[in-house]
Amino acid sequence: MQPTFLKPVKVIVADDHKLFADGVEQIINSTPGFEVLASVDNGKLLMQVLNRLSPDIILLDINMPFLDGLETAALIKKNKPGIKIIFISMHYDASIKTFIQKNGINGFVHKNISAKELKDALYKVVAGENVFISNYPAQQTEINAPQPGTEFISQHKLTKTEVAIIKLIAGGDSTKAIADKRSLSYLTVESHRKNILRKLKAKNMAEVIAFAVKYGLV
Amino acid sequence: MQPTFLKPVKVIVADDHKLFADGVEQIINSTPGFEVLASVDNGKLLMQVLNRLSPDIILLDINMPFLDGLETAALIKKNKPGIKIIFISMHYDASIKTFIQKNGINGFVHKNISAKELKDALYKVVAGENVFISNYPAQQTEINAPQPGTEFISQHKLTKTEVAIIKLIAGGDSTKAIADKRSLSYLTVESHRKNILRKLKAKNMAEVIAFAVKYGLV
DNA sequence: TAATATATACCTGTAAACAGGTATGCCTTA
DNA sequence: TAAGGCATACCTGTTTACAGGTATATATTA
């Protein structure tokens, strides 16, 4: 752990509920050795802020408009792997668990924890530990969550790659952007697009996205 | 308003999200003239605490386990009408509005407001005013309907035509198809598309549709 | 009434999506 | 082991979307 008297640990809070973010900010600022650099209310803004600021830790809400927490976290871990990320959310399920493991997220704290527990979590993450805090023990064990979107996927026999591409398209990515992100040929991504349209019998991707979001895939 | 240097205004915070309650507590304690007596996480506990403590204001979450905010508020207003109550919630609808009017609730603040706005609300309620603060302007005016999508529309200042076109695009219609259906010029529909993309700061329509469906517009 | 928002429409490009193929190596599983 | 699904990649077109403008009549509102 860094000597807190030398260098305060810099934190950014990302949560679309301003009052919550402001409250957390106050709690962190009152924690010795920690200071909040900024608090933002959506993922896009967070990415912009990260061009200017270099936090040590990001407290990241999972449900946010304009780039949700998971996508944002993946981007950050890819581009700035040194920054530690703690998810903060009302809900926890198997998909989040998997995401945390795969992407090296440093912690998950439930929004129902106390200020003291949040501080403990921050100290632990700074010390290099991974933390998981929730006061709903049920939600920790309850792994078999009703994964949203599975129905949609199985109904149309979509493959993993196709699902991934649908999600990226829903985020506004073009075929070229997707090819770059996933290190695929432009032509490969186009093939996937065509297969998706064929399987869903859709006229274009706008229609696909509408269905996918309705069925909880995105 | 009470002279704050003589008697601090006593507040109780009731919210089942501890971290949120703790954050609000810190915000209030850092507000001159205010102090938090207690913070509780359910309605039953709040009623017990009120046997011992006499707050001036209660910040009351509507969605709480063990006696929700509305029931709790009704009980308090019946037994201790002198205590002012400000609802604090993520959601606002016609039923809450009716309840506020019938039961003389002193304010409603949305959880997405800033710390400063919360402080303003507290000052106003102490001064005898009723407050309503939300950063979703649609929800203030839109009284008789939890119309899904209105939030999305007002937030991005979309016009009727633009909304209609978004819906058609989500259904898979091309610009030409839309122009035919609505007896508009192809070029007009393209203009609307451009305006939509500009307003939502989206890269393409797929992204727009994803947002629109998420917010219940489609 | 002056300014602003809305709906309409046009013009000129470039970029991207879509259509309809073919093909191949790699798994999985019947 | 043979068949099928999957992910990968390529080719050739056509169509559509997007970008960046301008413009004008009609409301609406400050």
Side-chain angles (χ1 to χ4, degrees):
Chain A
M1 182 171 167
Q2 301 181 34
T4 55
F5 46 89
L6 278 180
K7 259 190 187 177
V9 177
K10 289 164 288 179
V11 182
I12 288 180
V13 181
D15 195 300
D16 62 324
H17 305 150
K18 270 196 196 130
L19 192 51
F20 180 82
D22 285 352
V24 170
E25 184 173 337
Q26 292 237 7
I27 290 170
I28 295 174
N29 279 333
S30 74
T31 307
F34 288 85
E35 70 169 333
V36 173
L37 292 183
S39 86
V40 298
D41 67 355
N42 70 69
K44 268 196 179 170
L45 189 54
L46 175 58
M47 295 311 294
Q48 287 168 21
V49 167
L50 287 182
N51 290 328
R52 297 188 287 107
L53 304 174
S54 294
D56 302 298
I57 300 179
I58 296 172
L59 265 177
L60 187 56
D61 184 23
I62 291 178
N63 301 109
M64 282 191 301
F66 306 108
L67 215 64
D68 81 0
L70 298 186
E71 293 175 73
T72 310
L75 275 174
I76 294 168
K77 280 291 178 184
K78 189 182 163 198
N79 299 321
K80 305 200 172 188
I83 299 177
K84 296 189 171 179
I85 296 176
I86 302 176
F87 280 145
I88 183 157
S89 176
M90 274 310 293
H91 306 289
Y92 183 73
D93 61 34
S95 66
I96 294 173
K97 197 195 171 196
T98 309
F99 184 92
I100 288 173
Q101 289 169 342
K102 284 197 181 159
N103 294 76
I105 304 301
N106 307 89
F108 178 96
V109 297
H110 199 276
K111 280 193 179 176
N112 68 348
I113 67 169
S114 68
K116 192 186 166 299
E117 287 170 314
L118 175 64
K119 292 179 184 190
D120 289 346
L122 287 171
Y123 282 124
K124 281 187 182 171
V125 167
V126 168
E129 290 180 54
N130 285 358
V131 293
F132 182 101
I133 306 180
S134 167
N135 287 327
Y136 293 132
Q139 295 187 322
Q140 281 182 56
T141 49
E142 175 208 335
I143 304 299
N144 306 321
Q147 295 247 19
T150 42
E151 192 184 311
F152 181 83
I153 294 167
S154 60
Q155 225 174 347
H156 301 287
K157 294 178 181 166
L158 293 173
T159 67
K160 280 180 198 170
T161 309
E162 286 159 359
V163 169
I165 286 176
I166 289 174
K167 287 180 181 175
L168 289 170
I169 292 171
D173 286 345
S174 67
T175 300
K176 192 184 172 305
I178 294 169
D180 289 349
K181 276 191 188 174
R182 298 185 58 95
S183 303
L184 291 175
S185 158
Y186 176 89
L187 299 156
T188 302
V189 179
E190 282 225 310
S191 290
H192 288 304
R193 289 185 87 119
K194 270 181 291 190
N195 290 331
I196 292 165
L197 290 177
R198 182 177 42 77
K199 286 182 180 178
L200 302 214
K201 295 188 184 101
K203 288 198 281 291
N204 51 48
M205 274 300 160
E207 198 179 357
V208 171
I209 301 305
F211 281 128
V213 178
K214 272 182 196 166
Y215 283 87
L217 184 67
V218 177
Chain B
M1 181 172 170
Q2 302 182 32
T4 56
F5 45 89
L6 278 180
K7 261 190 186 178
V9 177
K10 289 164 287 179
V11 181
I12 288 181
V13 181
D15 194 301
D16 62 325
H17 305 151
K18 270 196 196 132
L19 193 51
F20 181 82
D22 285 352
V24 170
E25 184 174 337
Q26 291 239 8
I27 290 170
I28 294 173
N29 278 334
S30 75
T31 307
F34 288 85
E35 70 170 333
V36 174
L37 292 183
S39 86
V40 297
D41 66 355
N42 69 71
K44 267 195 180 171
L45 188 55
L46 175 59
M47 295 312 292
Q48 286 168 22
V49 167
L50 287 181
N51 291 329
R52 298 187 287 109
L53 303 175
S54 293
D56 302 299
I57 300 179
I58 297 173
L59 263 177
L60 187 55
D61 184 24
I62 292 177
N63 302 109
M64 283 193 301
F66 309 110
L67 216 63
D68 82 0
L70 299 185
E71 294 172 73
T72 311
L75 275 173
I76 296 168
K77 280 290 179 186
K78 189 182 163 198
N79 299 320
K80 305 200 172 189
I83 299 177
K84 296 188 171 178
I85 295 176
I86 302 176
F87 279 145
I88 184 157
S89 177
M90 273 310 295
H91 304 289
Y92 183 72
D93 60 35
S95 66
I96 295 172
K97 198 202 171 199
T98 310
F99 184 94
I100 288 173
Q101 289 169 342
K102 283 194 180 163
N103 295 76
I105 304 300
N106 309 87
F108 178 96
V109 296
H110 197 274
K111 279 194 180 175
N112 68 348
I113 67 169
S114 68
K116 193 187 165 300
E117 288 171 316
L118 175 64
K119 292 180 182 190
D120 289 346
L122 287 171
Y123 283 124
K124 281 188 181 169
V125 168
V126 168
E129 291 180 49
N130 286 359
V131 293
F132 183 102
I133 305 181
S134 165
N135 286 328
Y136 295 130
Q139 296 187 322
Q140 281 185 55
T141 48
E142 169 215 335
I143 307 298
N144 304 319
Q147 294 245 20
T150 43
E151 190 182 302
F152 180 84
I153 294 167
S154 62
Q155 228 174 347
H156 300 287
K157 293 178 182 164
L158 293 172
T159 66
K160 280 180 198 170
T161 310
E162 285 159 358
V163 170
I165 286 175
I166 288 175
K167 287 180 181 176
L168 290 169
I169 292 171
D173 287 345
S174 67
T175 300
K176 192 184 173 306
I178 294 169
D180 289 348
K181 277 191 187 173
R182 297 186 58 95
S183 303
L184 291 174
S185 158
Y186 176 89
L187 299 156
T188 301
V189 179
E190 282 225 310
S191 289
H192 288 305
R193 289 186 86 118
K194 271 182 290 193
N195 290 331
I196 292 165
L197 290 178
R198 181 176 43 76
K199 285 182 180 178
L200 301 215
K201 296 191 183 91
K203 288 198 281 292
N204 50 49
M205 274 300 160
E207 197 179 359
V208 171
I209 300 305
F211 282 130
V213 178
K214 275 183 193 165
Y215 282 86
L217 183 67
V218 177

